[in-house]
Amino acid sequence: MIFVGDGALLRRAVAHAAAQGHPVDLVCSADPQDATVGGAPHLHLPAAGADAPAEANAPADVNAHADALAGTCTDGIVWSLNNRRIFRAPLLSRGLRILNVHNGLLPRHRGLPSVAVLFALLNGEREYGATLHEVDAGIDTGRVLAVRRFPVAPDARHFQVMLHGVRACQALFEESLPAVAAGAPLGAPPTPAGPSAYHGTRALGRLAAHRDHPAYARATDLGPFAAHAPELAAAIAAVTGSHAGHCPSPDRSYTL
């Protein structure tokens, strides 16, 4: 199997798959260290910017390496975790089973998880979670295969929901891996979480209108995720005039 993505979630998934004896044929990410945990070859792919995926068939685009990925994958499975890169026809037409573990409930929380969490809190949503879905030509529009839900506390802050979401993604991957690897069904398809909504950086243009919202302080408290969501951090700074209140305080500790 092949892994595409970035960061701690990707590394943990690669390490878990390798520890369970599954073949890790290739890791595609921006950091070569992501592959060392599974002892697999690495394909360097610069991280894609939000709402601006790499030009199709450019060397930095995962789709430009479709032939290599199809020839390397021994079991036909491609995992996408914490991945902003867009899979397009060159890869989608190779007969690979491409699965994405998304931080959010689909199709309600399509797009960037950091932005989805922001508006989930502003909208007063009381449930969030992780979704395993097939990848198709759209963005987070493929068939939903499994979900892992959790409640959102009335006083929850952005970084707390994000962290819980990351952990839900890891748990969902580990729960689903045996069945996916065996080609077995994952159980009855869950009911999709609607209505469908896409949360990209363009949605941040509406942020100023929420400045006086009672949940604004909680919804914009990025904590340790500020470094991983620069577009959102910049939008918050533009509204508030500073980054104050959006970094972890010294007495907090986190495990990402």
Side-chain angles (χ1 to χ4, degrees):
M1 55 186 63
I2 291 175
F3 291 80
V4 183
D6 293 291
L9 180 60
L10 175 72
R11 292 190 188 190
R12 290 170 183 163
V14 170
H16 179 78
Q20 297 302 308
H22 298 289
V24 179
D25 301 309
L26 183 67
V27 177
C28 307
S29 71
D31 186 354
Q33 293 299 312
D34 294 333
T36 59
V37 291
H42 180 261
L43 173 63
H44 179 258
L45 292 176
D51 294 344
E55 181 181 354
N57 297 322
D61 176 28
V62 65
N63 299 283
H65 304 277
D67 289 337
L69 267 64
T72 301
C73 193
T74 58
D75 58 7
I77 300 170
V78 176
W79 290 97
S80 168
L81 301 105
N82 191 33
N83 176 41
R84 286 187 172 189
R85 303 165 186 86
I86 307 299
F87 295 101
R88 301 199 184 279
L91 261 175
L92 297 176
S93 63
R94 290 303 195 277
L96 298 168
R97 189 182 190 192
I98 306 177
L99 304 175
N100 182 55
V101 181
H102 180 75
N103 190 341
L105 297 175
L106 296 178
R108 185 190 306 157
H109 302 134
R110 295 173 52 231
L112 297 177
S114 59
V115 181
V117 169
L118 168 75
F119 285 102
L121 291 174
L122 290 175
N123 292 334
E125 295 183 24
R126 290 292 175 255
E127 182 182 60
Y128 202 74
T131 304
L132 172 67
H133 69 97
E134 295 177 341
V135 173
D136 60 13
I139 298 178
D140 299 328
T141 55
R143 183 167 66 102
V144 172
L145 301 176
V147 298
R148 188 178 179 90
R149 295 180 170 89
F150 59 85
V152 176
D155 61 347
R157 310 190 78 78
H158 186 285
F159 72 88
Q160 293 171 326
V161 180
M162 280 292 296
L163 180 57
H164 203 158
V166 170
R167 291 172 175 166
C169 286
Q170 180 65 25
L172 184 58
F173 169 78
E174 294 182 4
E175 292 169 357
S176 306
L177 178 61
V180 170
L186 287 163
T191 301
S196 178
Y198 180 75
H199 304 277
T201 55
R202 293 180 182 176
L204 298 178
R206 309 193 306 267
L207 186 58
H210 298 278
R211 182 66 181 86
D212 296 325
H213 191 290
Y216 183 84
R218 294 188 294 106
T220 57
D221 185 359
L222 306 187
F225 287 95
H228 304 285
E231 302 92 352
L232 178 53
I236 293 170
V239 173
T240 62
S242 80
H243 290 278
H246 307 296
C247 295
S249 47
D251 60 344
R252 294 176 181 167
S253 61
Y254 310 91
T255 301
L256 300 183

